[in-house]
Amino acid sequence: MNMDAARQAFVEEVAELLQSMEDALFALESSPDDTESLNAVFRAMHTIKGTGGVFGYTPIVNFTHEIESVMEEVRSGREPMTEQLVGILFECRDHTGNLVEAIVANDSDENLDLDPELLKAGQQLVDKLIARNTGGTGGASAAPADAQAAAADNDSNQPKYLPVASDAWIIGLDFGPDAFRNGMDPLSFLRYLASLGTIVDVATIPIWPHNHDDFDPESCYLSFRISFRSDADKKTIADVFNFAEDDCNIRILAPESAQEKYLELLQRLPDDHITRIGEMLVEVGALTPQELSRALNSQEVTTDLDTEEDAATKKRRLGEILVEQGSVKPALMEQAVKTQEAARKRLDENRFIRVDAERLGHLINLVGELVTSSAAIRVMVERAGIEDMNEVVDGVDYLVEEIRDNALQLRMVPIGDSLSRFRRVVRDSSKELGKQIDLVITGGETELDKTLIEKITDPLTHLIRNAIDHAIETPEERQRIGKPTTGTVLCNAFHDSGHIVIEIKDDGAGLDADRIRAKAEAKGLVKSEDVLSHEETLRLIFEPGLSTKDTASNLSGRGVGMDVVRRNIEALRGSVELESERGQGTKVTIILPLTLAIIDGFLVGAGQEQYVIPLSQVSECVEVNPTDTSNRNGEHYVNLRGEVLPFIRLTELFRSYNDENKSSRESLVVVRFGHHKLGLVVDTLLGELQTVIKPLGSLFENLQGVAGATILGTGDIALILDVSELATIGQTHRRASSQYDYASPQ
Amino acid sequence: MAEATATTTTATSLTEISEDSAQYLTFSVVHERLAMSINAVQEIIETPKITQVPMTPAYIRGVINLRGNVVPVVDLGARLNRGALALSKRSCIVLVEVKSQHNSHVLGMLVDEVKNILEIPRDDVKPAPEFGSEIRTDFIEAMGRVNDVFVIILAIDNVLSIQELATLKAITERVNPDGPNVGK
């Protein structure tokens, strides 16, 4: 694997881990003893430390190590989890993120020159951790020295996991009575053993028969306890006694240092290697296959009836047997069981496959081409008039449509993950401002194109910050006006006819229309004689440079926010609406298309060109007489079943007349967007069409009313209309001559 | 066809590239012969169906389908303030790679006819005159002398500046307010 890809994977993994750590910290805030969450925090730090070590990112290893050791203390119950500690851990989490970002960004493989400020910040955090930790156990207070030593030397923390020979293996050999008779010579084993290392000490324990008369000089009554120093692994040592297997009870206990190594290995065991507990232990070398089969044999003897219910308890029994047998230390077995459980849990998560977003993008592009090609085939078949082909083409069309929907589905992710990150924003900034704010998230399971989610995060953050900073009052103020002291910011997402709607609602002060008006006039955005509706006035906050807050705060209020929000959302072919009641709160509604790639469209002809209207916005098509829609004193509305419907004649707006085949009949396509309805008068209706959206590129980024282009089966290009922008254009075109608003669907 | 001429010329002249001269593609726009550096030219195609984009100035002729990609086409006649070009059998689209701040884009440039590829010695490339040309001075990179006639070498990055074109305002009219109205 190429290093950049590996690093990228590391960054992604870290991001995920930090996210889960944050979630866990939130949980710890309310219930400090939640073991699951404590473990999650520990796991996140531990894994980042481990992976960081693989890359040789010493600063990450050092920093996360500190947190890990503190968490270990808490996890084992030696220390309580306090609110203060959660607070520090939040900071530590952020610092870890910063560290990883900084390190990966300027990773020149050998030279890790980090901003000293960053390292200092890290040290301060560590000091904080230590400070609150004084009087704790020795392990934690010894840690900083450890870390400094590690910082001084890149590799000093490496050998910690390697087996150190100062500790000795303990080998127990209990020879059976028939050992001599079968030609065994205990001494020869010891001699051979000595070739693998140093025998430190041998204790010979004779097990004499109770009755002296039973003593048989040909029987073996000897047991040995050998203290043995060697770098060989367990399997090699066990092989020494291979021949003695049948006549000797062999126990090999690894030295302490090796135990640590096994623990480490167990924790790092890749998921697909985790199967049965015995096999795991063999894999890391803590257990020899012989020991395992012996344990399994004795297990078969003890549990004759292995029913389904027993299967669950069977594992534990194997563990018990292994410990009893003296092959594995209890601590090691505990870790093995833990690793196994964790792996089982992860196995569930493994139903998901991590796929490079670029590959998915490529797939979706290809599907787009496929849609276009199959449309081309249909055109060809129809042109050639081959009857038999129709059925086949229908079949292909159906399949292509299925493939399209499935491919697009691949990129859909629930919006909840990105919404829940706002909990942090709310927590931090409400603390900073001394406000009490609850963030309520609903509809987190609503799915949305991943690329859209990424692009919507910034505008959403901004809106939420606005709500916290401007809208929600201080607790005292809220109490004074009879509101609950804790303010609420509601974040809601749902699907609505091919669009996703995200609402950000607060119960704060609401927008002051008069003040907005005054500001806008001061900035020259509106003239004092202009008549604006309440809604139009509120929309002024989307104009550049308008902020109603007099002093810019840390969070918002510099007047560069809302226009950026609107621009970002409109760049995604979305729209944003605003409702606000003085003193009651504000609701911002963002409406976005579900995907950026392929939509169901409705093809119409106007003039010489063809246009696509997003099918989700088409509510009906009506045939109209040109006399009904012709310009009557500049009036642009028709009577649709008693309802006043404003309309736009595309040929008129686009100045593309087609005099040659001017049909006497026109059609009215009724489209809706948000709460509005609008008629589009077109020459011909050409039917539904799977529309692969091709961007028009930066040349047309200022073009209003056109959202993109698509390639038709004939190879021609049809432009995709942006209905809400068209409405705005139509309105400004007409404002001078006539004044009316859009018809309400009610 | 013009395309064929262009290709064969390329083939013969490619062998003669030297450091003392550079190659230029020449084409005609409203009976005037213009040139541009060959380096920016990606390919030359016959004019396919051009789809008009509404509510854009005349210099944006529309968009074409180039092997599945939507490529904008700039009407060089309108852009140089000589009126929108009328399509003929010889009309061609020169596909040009234009760099903007961050990335490069492919744009089509509608011309009346593609002539040939010229090799002009460095010594014969003279700086653009300060005034005296109907074309905006920042559109002119240099003048090339070919058989004692000067050919305008266009500064294509300025002529097809994405930033300027994207304002979708009729720039040419601002520069020459008394000029002919280029609307269709």
Side-chain angles (χ1 to χ4, degrees):
Chain A
M1 182 151 64
N2 117 1
M3 270 314 264
D4 276 340
R7 239 175 256 135
Q8 190 52 40
F10 173 56
V11 172
E12 275 166 25
E13 189 188 358
V14 167
E16 250 169 49
L17 285 166
L18 290 181
Q19 183 58 46
S20 62
M21 175 169 173
E22 188 175 290
D23 292 343
L25 285 174
F26 273 115
L28 285 173
E29 256 189 345
S30 44
S31 54
D33 298 325
D34 182 18
T35 339
E36 257 311 294
S37 307
L38 287 174
N39 284 339
V41 175
F42 177 80
R43 215 159 35 224
M45 283 298 119
H46 181 82
T47 315
I48 293 173
K49 179 177 113 174
T51 327
V54 171
F55 283 92
Y57 296 148
T58 327
I60 297 178
V61 176
N62 291 340
F63 183 72
T64 47
H65 175 76
E66 296 303 323
I67 308 166
E68 192 192 345
S69 21
V70 171
M71 280 317 293
E72 182 57 46
E73 291 296 303
V74 176
R75 212 160 65 126
S76 55
R78 283 193 287 271
E79 256 207 67
M81 179 51 89
T82 58
E83 197 179 320
Q84 182 201 12
L85 184 55
V86 173
I88 301 174
L89 285 172
F90 264 121
E91 289 175 51
C92 290
R93 174 209 167 267
D94 293 350
H95 183 72
T96 311
N98 293 343
L99 262 183
V100 171
E101 201 173 301
I103 287 176
V104 174
N106 67 358
D107 184 5
S108 52
D109 287 66
E110 294 150 37
N111 200 2
L112 282 173
D113 279 335
L114 276 180
D115 187 1
E117 284 295 310
L118 195 64
L119 288 176
K120 218 173 96 195
Q123 194 51 49
Q124 277 166 358
L125 277 173
V126 171
D127 291 346
K128 249 191 195 175
L129 272 176
I130 305 305
R132 66 152 314 288
N133 230 18
T134 41
T137 56
S141 48
D146 213 341
Q148 269 153 7
D153 181 359
N154 260 4
D155 302 284
S156 74
N157 63 338
Q158 224 81 357
K160 206 161 70 183
Y161 304 123
L162 299 175
V164 184
S166 66
D167 248 345
W169 295 81
I170 306 291
I171 302 168
L173 299 175
D174 298 334
F175 284 96
D178 291 335
F180 292 146
R181 267 187 288 271
N182 290 341
M184 298 289 161
D185 176 5
L187 198 57
S188 68
F189 290 114
L190 292 187
R191 273 200 210 101
Y192 181 53
L193 185 66
S195 71
L196 291 174
T198 328
I199 294 177
V200 182
D201 199 4
V202 181
T204 311
I205 309 164
I207 305 171
W208 307 119
H210 292 295
N211 198 334
H212 291 285
D213 297 337
D214 292 345
F215 182 83
D216 181 353
E218 285 186 6
S219 290
C220 176
Y221 300 106
L222 295 173
S223 281
F224 299 94
R225 296 292 176 272
I226 307 157
S227 170
F228 178 62
R229 201 173 282 169
S230 168
D231 286 337
D233 63 13
K234 191 169 185 177
K235 191 173 177 304
T236 321
I237 296 174
D239 281 347
V240 172
F241 308 104
N242 227 350
F243 293 115
E245 280 279 289
D246 297 335
D247 294 305
C248 183
N249 183 12
I250 309 157
R251 272 162 298 160
I252 303 169
L253 265 186
E256 282 304 322
S257 55
Q259 293 286 350
E260 260 179 49
K261 187 183 76 171
Y262 294 148
L263 282 175
E264 189 72 17
L265 283 171
L266 265 179
Q267 282 179 359
R268 293 215 183 156
L269 211 55
D271 281 355
D272 51 344
H273 281 242
I274 294 174
T275 42
R276 301 209 186 128
I277 211 147
E279 286 166 22
M280 276 160 60
L281 289 165
V282 172
E283 169 105 19
V284 298
L287 195 66
T288 61
Q290 292 90 338
E291 282 173 328
L292 177 62
S293 63
R294 204 151 35 129
L296 285 172
N297 284 340
S298 66
Q299 185 181 38
E300 265 165 38
V301 177
T302 50
T303 56
D304 292 331
L305 288 162
D306 233 18
T307 55
E308 283 288 315
E309 297 107 76
D310 279 346
T313 56
K314 185 178 160 189
K315 292 263 155 50
R316 197 179 302 127
R317 288 209 182 118
L318 177 64
E320 282 164 10
I321 292 164
L322 284 170
V323 173
E324 268 167 33
Q325 213 172 268
S327 311
V328 194
K329 290 197 175 173
L332 193 58
M333 183 51 73
E334 213 171 282
Q335 177 61 44
V337 172
K338 252 191 250 166
T339 310
Q340 194 185 30
E341 274 167 9
R344 288 229 183 96
K345 221 164 131 195
R346 271 202 298 274
L347 216 60
D348 279 341
E349 291 161 18
N350 274 359
R351 284 180 298 134
F352 300 105
I353 306 171
R354 196 187 282 269
V355 182
D356 191 344
E358 219 165 272
R359 280 198 205 172
L360 270 188
H362 186 58
L363 174 71
I364 285 166
N365 283 345
L366 285 178
V367 171
E369 299 299 322
L370 184 65
V371 169
T372 313
S373 304
S374 83
I377 290 172
R378 173 162 289 278
V379 170
M380 292 300 159
V381 167
E382 273 167 17
R383 212 176 268 168
I386 314 169
E387 293 265 320
D388 299 350
M389 284 291 283
N390 276 337
E391 211 168 300
V392 182
V393 172
D394 283 346
V396 171
D397 268 2
Y398 170 76
L399 285 174
V400 166
E401 205 169 311
E402 287 282 293
I403 291 170
R404 177 199 72 164
D405 289 346
N406 275 299
L408 287 177
Q409 197 62 40
L410 290 180
R411 265 212 314 217
M412 294 293 195
V413 290
I415 195 173
D417 290 346
S418 53
L419 289 184
S420 63
R421 84 173 65 164
F422 295 128
R423 284 192 294 174
R424 182 68 193 279
V425 176
V426 171
R427 178 191 179 275
D428 287 0
S429 35
S430 56
K431 277 209 170 141
E432 192 180 317
L433 295 164
K435 294 177 179 178
Q436 291 168 14
I437 300 170
D438 266 349
L439 178 69
V440 180
I441 297 170
T442 51
E445 71 288 345
T446 316
E447 288 191 326
L448 183 61
D449 196 308
K450 180 93 161 64
T451 46
L452 267 174
I453 286 191
E454 280 159 14
K455 288 178 180 152
I456 196 70
T457 311
D458 276 357
L460 282 181
T461 313
H462 200 91
L463 290 173
I464 286 181
R465 288 205 163 147
N466 264 345
I468 299 165
D469 195 21
H470 299 310
I472 306 275
E473 309 90 338
T474 56
E476 302 81 50
E477 171 73 11
R478 289 181 68 90
Q479 203 156 25
R480 198 179 58 76
I481 52 177
K483 285 184 184 179
T485 46
T486 305
T488 309
V489 177
L490 187 79
C491 216
N492 185 27
F494 57 92
H495 281 162
D496 179 32
S497 61
H499 287 71
I500 183 166
V501 181
I502 305 168
E503 294 173 339
I504 311 279
K505 196 173 157 189
D506 64 65
D507 63 349
L511 290 168
D512 187 340
D514 297 337
R515 223 161 115 208
I516 293 170
R517 174 85 203 217
K519 279 258 174 181
E521 278 178 25
K523 294 253 175 198
L525 294 170
V526 284
K527 294 192 194 88
S528 48
E529 66 268 22
D530 286 345
V531 182
L532 294 179
S533 68
H534 180 64
E535 194 180 309
E536 282 173 315
T537 314
L538 294 182
R539 285 195 75 84
L540 285 172
I541 66 164
F542 290 121
E543 295 299 324
L546 198 92
S547 168
T548 51
K549 192 91 171 177
D550 293 320
T551 52
S553 83
N554 202 8
L555 288 173
S556 51
R558 285 179 227 282
V560 286
M562 291 305 269
D563 64 313
V564 178
V565 168
R566 188 186 64 169
R567 225 172 328 122
N568 284 349
I569 290 167
E570 284 181 352
L572 302 171
R573 294 188 293 115
S575 62
V576 54
E577 287 178 15
L578 200 62
E579 285 167 49
S580 184
E581 194 75 34
R582 197 76 216 285
Q584 299 298 311
T586 310
K587 183 166 118 184
V588 184
T589 310
I590 297 170
I591 303 161
L592 287 172
L594 275 186
T595 170
L596 294 171
I598 307 175
I599 58 168
D600 277 314
F602 188 73
L603 190 67
V604 298
Q608 297 153 350
E609 306 293 355
Q610 294 176 354
Y611 301 96
V612 175
I613 303 167
L615 190 65
S616 56
Q617 295 186 312
V618 175
S619 76
E620 62 178 310
C621 298
V622 190
E623 239 176 52
V624 287
N625 234 323
T627 50
D628 289 345
T629 56
S630 56
N631 257 351
R632 294 173 307 192
N633 310 326
E635 290 171 359
H636 278 74
Y637 60 85
V638 286
N639 180 346
L640 181 72
R641 294 188 297 272
E643 197 181 289
V644 178
L645 183 78
F647 71 85
I648 292 171
R649 177 175 281 115
L650 286 186
T651 48
E652 219 169 85
L653 185 66
F654 294 169
R655 299 180 208 294
S656 81
Y657 300 100
N658 192 2
D659 297 328
E660 294 155 33
N661 52 7
K662 178 93 181 166
S663 61
S664 58
R665 286 190 153 170
E666 289 178 316
S667 294
L668 180 76
V669 182
V670 182
V671 293
R672 61 191 189 88
F673 54 100
H675 301 301
H676 308 300
K677 266 191 180 180
L678 174 73
L680 293 175
V681 175
V682 300
D683 294 345
T684 45
L685 302 176
L686 297 163
E688 288 180 27
L689 171 84
Q690 294 188 58
T691 309
V692 183
I693 300 175
K694 300 265 179 184
L696 277 175
S698 50
L699 184 56
F700 295 106
E701 66 185 4
N702 294 320
L703 181 63
Q704 299 283 301
V706 177
T710 190
I711 292 172
L712 302 175
T714 53
D716 291 347
I717 293 175
L719 297 176
I720 301 165
L721 300 179
D722 185 315
V723 174
S724 62
E725 281 179 8
L726 277 183
T728 318
I729 295 169
Q731 201 179 26
T732 48
H733 268 219
R734 286 195 305 263
R735 178 163 278 175
S737 53
S738 58
Q739 282 277 352
Y740 47 79
D741 219 328
Y742 298 116
S744 237
Q746 288 83 34
Chain B
M1 288 303 295
E3 190 187 356
T5 335
T7 345
T8 44
T9 328
T10 320
T12 50
S13 47
L14 264 177
T15 52
E16 302 154 16
I17 295 173
S18 72
E19 286 189 7
D20 301 328
S21 61
Q23 287 187 316
Y24 297 90
L25 177 75
T26 64
F27 43 82
S28 72
V29 172
V30 196
H31 311 301
E32 184 177 1
R33 194 182 193 192
L34 298 167
M36 65 174 283
S37 167
I38 195 104
N39 295 334
V41 178
Q42 283 209 329
E43 61 181 305
I44 299 160
I45 57 169
E46 285 179 61
T47 318
K49 175 173 168 27
I50 303 179
T51 304
Q52 287 176 27
V53 180
M55 301 174 288
T56 51
Y59 60 72
I60 292 186
R61 187 73 181 214
V63 286
I64 55 166
N65 170 8
L66 181 72
R67 294 184 293 272
N69 290 314
V70 178
V71 175
V73 175
V74 171
D75 185 321
L76 198 59
R79 181 67 178 148
L80 300 178
N81 213 10
R82 281 160 165 68
L85 300 180
L87 291 184
S88 75
K89 266 190 165 180
R90 287 172 170 272
S91 297
C92 277
I93 291 177
V94 181
L95 290 156
V96 181
E97 195 177 347
V98 186
K99 291 190 177 53
S100 70
Q101 293 135 317
H102 309 295
N103 33 21
S104 60
H105 307 265
V106 174
L107 284 188
M109 192 169 75
L110 181 69
V111 298
D112 277 334
E113 186 181 358
V114 167
K115 299 280 192 192
N116 53 0
I117 291 170
L118 286 181
E119 195 160 332
I120 307 179
R122 292 250 185 269
D123 294 343
D124 286 342
V125 176
K126 307 290 180 195
E130 297 277 320
F131 53 89
S133 166
E134 285 175 36
I135 296 174
R136 264 170 61 177
T137 44
D138 62 326
F139 287 179
I140 303 173
E141 188 174 275
M143 307 291 280
R145 193 170 60 195
V146 180
N147 304 331
D148 286 332
V149 177
F150 274 106
V151 176
I152 292 174
I153 300 169
L154 293 174
I156 219 70
D157 281 343
N158 289 342
V159 175
L160 300 181
S161 154
I162 297 278
Q163 230 181 331
E164 192 183 314
L165 295 175
T167 58
L168 300 182
K169 287 186 187 119
I171 297 292
T172 45
E173 284 165 25
R174 192 201 68 205
V175 168
N176 190 359
D178 301 325
N181 197 351
V182 291
K184 279 170 278 184

